[in-house]
């Protein structure tokens, strides 16, 4: 075997060895995985009581937003009050805002499901993510909660400590 061929084979083996762990990390979450979110808007004694604006989204390990799951606002002019979400997502993607916005909601418990897809409809890769929930009221307070997640092939359930403007939040990652 000539020297040039040996060099190419060694380089190919080195590239394969170095990329193997990366390829293993790039596997998508299972197709039957989903995350159920139980979310509470707590009762707050205030006069007048204004329904909160709420944004719930997921970011990857590089703090890049991958999916806005819920966005509850009354009018566009209030989107900027969801400061954390607005700085990362809202001001850059008008189509997304139009697609996910729904009306504000009153005090109560809500359930919804994240299907494991990103904003472009692709299944996210296994790995570290952060769940965010932000709630703000006119003439009221503002709360943001964050929870690290490891999305892979194992189910889990997490109870997140309530904040002033956000009640109980339970995340249940299921592999059906």
């Amino acid at each position: 075997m000539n020297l040039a061929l040996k060099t190419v084979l060694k380089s190919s083996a080195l590239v394969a060895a170095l990329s193997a762990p990366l390829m293993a990390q790039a596997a998508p979450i299972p197709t039957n995985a989903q995350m159920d979110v139980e979310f509470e808007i707590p009762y707050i004694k205030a006069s007048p009581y204004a329904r909160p604006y709420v944004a719930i989204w997921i970011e990857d390990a590089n703090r890049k937003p991958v999916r806005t799951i819920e966005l509850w606002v009354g009018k566009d002019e209030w989107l900027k009050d969801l400061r954390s979400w607005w700085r990362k997502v809202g001001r850059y993607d008008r189509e997304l805002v139009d697609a996910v916005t729904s009306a504000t909601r009153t005090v109560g418990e809500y359930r919804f499901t994240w299907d494991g897809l990103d904003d472009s409809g692709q299944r996210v890769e296994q790995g570290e993510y952060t769940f965010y929930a932000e709630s703000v009221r006119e003439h009221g307070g503002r709360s943001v909660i964050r929870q690290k997640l490891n999305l892979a092939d194992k189910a889990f359930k997490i109870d997140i400590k309530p904040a002033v403007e956000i009640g109980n939040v339970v995340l249940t990652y299921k592999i059906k």
Side-chain angles (χ1 to χ4, degrees):
M1 192 178 304
N2 69 30
L3 181 59
L5 181 58
K6 286 181 181 178
T7 302
V8 168
L9 290 175
K10 284 182 182 177
S11 296
S12 298
L14 180 60
V15 168
L18 291 174
S19 63
L22 295 175
M23 292 173 67
Q25 293 174 347
I29 62 172
T31 56
N32 55 355
Q34 69 179 42
M35 189 165 68
D36 294 337
V37 179
E38 298 173 49
F39 181 82
E40 179 184 14
I41 297 175
Y43 171 77
I44 296 174
K45 187 176 182 178
S47 182
Y49 175 82
R51 292 179 177 193
Y53 313 124
V54 174
I56 297 174
W57 73 100
I58 303 289
E59 292 182 1
D60 66 15
N62 296 319
R63 302 184 69 189
K64 178 184 174 196
V66 296
R67 180 74 181 264
T68 297
I69 301 171
E70 295 286 328
L71 181 60
W72 305 343
V73 292
K75 298 177 181 176
D76 279 4
E77 66 192 73
W78 305 115
L79 286 170
K80 293 177 184 174
D81 287 355
L82 292 163
R83 293 188 303 233
S84 296
W85 176 84
W86 177 255
R87 289 179 186 141
K88 293 201 166 199
V89 182
R91 67 179 167 184
Y92 300 113
D93 195 340
R94 184 66 219 177
E95 288 182 22
L96 174 71
V97 171
D98 292 340
V100 298
T101 302
S102 63
T104 58
R105 301 179 190 183
T106 188
V107 172
E109 296 176 1
Y110 300 91
R111 292 177 184 228
F112 45 89
T113 299
W114 175 45
D115 55 12
L117 302 179
D118 62 17
D119 284 325
S120 63
Q122 301 298 310
R123 187 151 292 279
V124 300
E125 303 295 331
Q126 293 185 23
E128 297 291 325
Y129 292 86
T130 304
F131 170 89
Y132 285 86
E134 181 174 18
S135 178
V136 62
R137 285 182 305 112
E138 287 180 72
H139 313 294
R142 176 180 175 272
S143 295
V144 179
I145 60 171
R146 299 168 185 83
Q147 176 63 52
K148 295 280 186 189
L149 309 170
N150 185 9
L151 302 181
D153 56 358
K154 293 183 180 176
F156 61 82
K157 183 174 184 176
I158 298 173
D159 292 306
I160 301 174
K161 183 180 175 183
V164 174
E165 299 287 338
I166 301 172
N168 295 320
V169 177
V170 179
L171 306 177
T172 306
Y173 180 70
K174 298 178 183 175
I175 312 295
K176 294 194 269 177

